[in-house]
Amino acid sequence: MKTFRPLFRLKKYFIRYKRDIFWGIILVIFSNVLYSILPKILQYTIDQMENGIPIEKIVLFAALFVTVTVIHSGLRFFMRQKLIGMARKIEYQLRNDYFHHLQQMSLNFFTKHRTGDLMALATNDIPSVSMTIGRGLMFLLSNIIVFIVVLTLMMRTNLALTLISLIPFSLAFLVVLKSMKFFIRTFERIQSQFADLSSKAQENISGVRVIKAYVQEENEIESFRQLNRKYLHENLKLALARGVVWSSMDVLFGLSFVILIWLGGLAVIRDQITLGEFVAFTVWLGMLSWPVISFGWIINLVQRASASMTRINRVMDIEPEIQDTESCDQSICHISGHIQFINVAVAYEDLMVLENISFEIAIGKTLAIIGPTGSGKTSLIRLIPRLIDAKAGQILIDGHDIRSIPLQVLRRHIGFVPQETFLFSETIAENISFGENDAKFEEIGRVARLSTIHEDLLTFPDQYQTLIGERGVNLSGGQKQRAAISRALLRQPNILILDDALSAVDTYTEEKILNSLRVQNPNQTKIIISHRISSVKHADLILFLKNGAVVERGNHRTLMAEKGLYAELYQQQRLEQALDEL
Ligand code: GTP
Ligand code: MG
């Protein structure tokens, strides 16, 4: 029972499709009862033949046989429709719920789980559950009914013959039970190896540029081959074991028939049973072999589905780390962009990366963050759309604690350009209008001009309708960044965050973009992260971060006067620029 517990979670789906299940079960019962009594017609026909039956009666029996077979096939057809259809509908719901759940998860979840594993859940585990609740349920019910009806009919015909001919059947059943554990363990190993294999393939395809640049094709082929070989090895082991079990079952079933023909034949000769009964008996014995063989298969299927369901439940049970809490104030439906940090700290697991961060930025002002790599700039701005939550301190937006603002509202008012640009495999226009599906073409053009990508797009074969390959392969780094900026601008956000989003753009273009951003919306609060002084010098407030702390703050003029790290960086970058221009 413990094994089946994970499957109890499907209850809500079963309730939703209870009508299909009800009719499915009714059809299973009727079709299998009809199937089990077919040999009875055969028995009557043969017995009547022995007594010299008129030809019309034979035709009648034949017609009866055909009718029952046709009805039985019809019922089976509808039974499959109901039960397999129900399973497919549940699979559809389950997959939707799983995808919905993944969309709720916070950033941290995706750093803890491999993409390959998450994909395997959708491509392997969900179908495995669906297979069990469809075919598994159908065969299990059918087998139980066939077993009960056939056995009753056989025993009523001749009890002793039934018991003797079923001895090898019990042995076959034992073989099935014994081998089941091995099958299940091997199958679990195969599943986990398949997840490794998918992860490997998936990472290789996404990381193909690195692999080629480092000439690692051969190594990657070899390590993939090793994983694949392990997978093959386990599969061969499973195939071998299956072969042995099937063959031994064949032998045991054969033995049953030998006993039946021998003892049954004697019984016919001694007139203890009729020839018709003997023939019916033979057919019934044949009918029983499938339930015995498939019993192991069904249990295996259920165990497999249960293991799959455990994996699905494990992911589905993870609560989104960041979501609306009870303190959320649903009356807040707008934010203007006044941001205040009070002694904020950030930690990943137990690693403290930011401490004691305090600043305030008024509506329409620009905050710039500069500092060496790894100093915590990205971590700081991730707090604003709540991609992560602060470990300590308080963040206020328009005077509201950030946790009291509904996530939807908060994120809707923020235009966020992350440090790593991601473009979907769609057209450029679709990429820019992501999340704003009904954006007008003029609007897309306006933001593309603001981020200076418009001219570049005109040179492409299909201009705005040019399809971008996976991750935008046919755009340059700077073009991708500017497409991502256009995407953020299109939402007309009250808070615009650029995380090193102009790093791949030359200083001249950068200056042009920043200038146009400055004038396009005076009420927009801007946060700009950069390694270049040229990007940050016009900001109203500049924070210089080092080792997770603000070490200098002010505007360009006051920071230069301070003659600290900022001024030093400025001199250094000016010198580099002067050397470049030589
Ligand atoms: P650059 O983008 O390189 O200029 O650095 P940054 O200033 O943006 O640094 P960031 O905020 O990305 O990282 C600060 C520290 O946090 C670094 O030591 C990172 O290793 C660490 N860090 C960043 N993201 C994560 C994360 O998702 N998990 C964990 N455990 N550590 C992280
Ligand atoms: Mg960063």
Side-chain angles (χ1 to χ4, degrees), residues 499-548:
D499 186 356
D500 215 4
L502 291 166
S503 57
V505 175
D506 61 80
T507 32
Y508 171 71
T509 315
E510 177 185 27
E511 189 73 29
K512 220 167 117 186
I513 298 172
L514 289 174
N515 277 337
S516 53
L517 286 187
R518 223 169 291 139
V519 290
Q520 54 99 29
N521 183 355
N523 290 327
Q524 184 177 64
T525 307
K526 297 177 186 67
I527 301 178
I528 298 169
I529 293 182
S530 179
H531 286 108
R532 289 192 203 139
I533 299 272
S534 57
S535 320
V536 304
K537 65 178 182 215
H538 295 292
D540 301 289
L541 174 66
I542 303 168
L543 301 180
F544 197 110
L545 276 189
K546 196 175 173 196
N547 296 331

Side-chain angles (χ1 to χ4, degrees), residues 373-379 381-382 419 499-500 529 531:
T373 174
S375 54
K377 303 180 293 297
T378 300
S379 306
I381 49 98
R382 276 185 186 155
Q419 196 162 13
D499 186 356
D500 215 4
I529 293 182
H531 286 108

